[in-house]
């Protein structure tokens, strides 16, 4: 009975998060119910994404939140495009001054979400959670593919949650407490700049959302974030030599 109650609570929590964003483009949600029956499974990054930044290895990012540092290991070994996109946005100072617009701790610790560029404007009156990074080179929002590396695989799967791709292996990068992952809409390839920190182990998100990093120091800072708090700064402090600004070398 206790297990059933817990599952009910989690289901209600997920539904609430889904409804908060409405038509937002980068909401953390439960796995979509309308996944295609024959999803594309790509062992290597499609040509459409060949111009995206990549991280070929690992890097360390320091975020300063509420005046205190948070150290994040960004994993480009298992999520090269997702990690490369994040490092690129850090280098562009996109995250400096942005707000954490969604914090969900009840009924159980869930996520802290931020990264909407619209939140930099304190007078913004629209719905936060709907914005992404506008690439000045194209004047369009940059989207990155859903990118998940299954355990034992040589390369990531792109464009499809593992379950719908009929892949039974768990991801290498999992939603453990402190994990850093990309928020997205129900469309798998809709992530842009919004990210979230997992406040607890969230196994039900594994294989559906792209984890690309882990908090190694400062999880107490993450635990203390309140909705409306801002990122003072973010910078790459190690591993920048692994970054490629325009795809693979």
């Amino acid at each position: 009975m206790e297990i059933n109650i817990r599952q009910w609570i989690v289901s209600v929590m997920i539904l609430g998060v889904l409804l908060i964003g409405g038509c937002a483009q980068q909401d953390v949600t439960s796995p979509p119910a309308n996944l295609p029956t024959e999803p594309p499974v790509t062992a290597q990054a499609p040509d459409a994404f060949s111009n995206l930044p990549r991280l070929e290895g690992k890097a360390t990012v320091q975020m300063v939140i509420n005046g205190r540092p948070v150290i994040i290991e960004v994993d480009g070994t298992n999520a090269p495009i997702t990690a490369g996109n994040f490092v690129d946005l850090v280098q562009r100072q996109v995250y400096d001054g942005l707000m954490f617009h969604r914090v969900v701790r009840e009924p159980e610790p869930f996520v802290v979400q931020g990264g909407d560029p619209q939140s930099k404007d304190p007078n913004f009156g629209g719905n936060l959670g709907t914005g992404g990074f506008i690439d000045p080179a194209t004047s369009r929002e940059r989207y990155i593919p859903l990118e998940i590396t299954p355990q034992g695989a040589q390369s990531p799967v792109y464009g499809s949650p593992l379950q719908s791709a009929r892949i039974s292996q768990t991801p290498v990068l999992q939603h453990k407490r402190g994990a850093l992952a990309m928020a997205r809409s129900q469309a798998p390839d809709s992530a842009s700049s919004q990210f979230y920190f997992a406040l607890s182990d969230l196994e039900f998100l594994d294989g559906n959302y792209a984890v690309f990093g882990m908090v190694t120091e400062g999880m107490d800072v993450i635990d203390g974030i309140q909705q409306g708090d801002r990122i003072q700064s973010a910078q790459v402090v190690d591993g920048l030599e692994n970054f490629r600004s325009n795809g693979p070398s």
Side-chain angles (χ1 to χ4, degrees), residues 216-246:
T216 59
E217 297 179 36
M219 193 60 200
D220 58 324
V221 179
I222 303 299
D223 288 333
I225 292 174
Q226 301 297 318
Q227 186 168 319
D229 288 348
R230 294 183 180 273
I231 302 167
Q232 274 82 56
S233 64
Q235 62 177 328
V236 181
V237 295
D238 189 37
L240 192 57
E241 67 277 5
N242 297 324
F243 175 65
R244 308 290 179 262
S245 61
N246 290 298

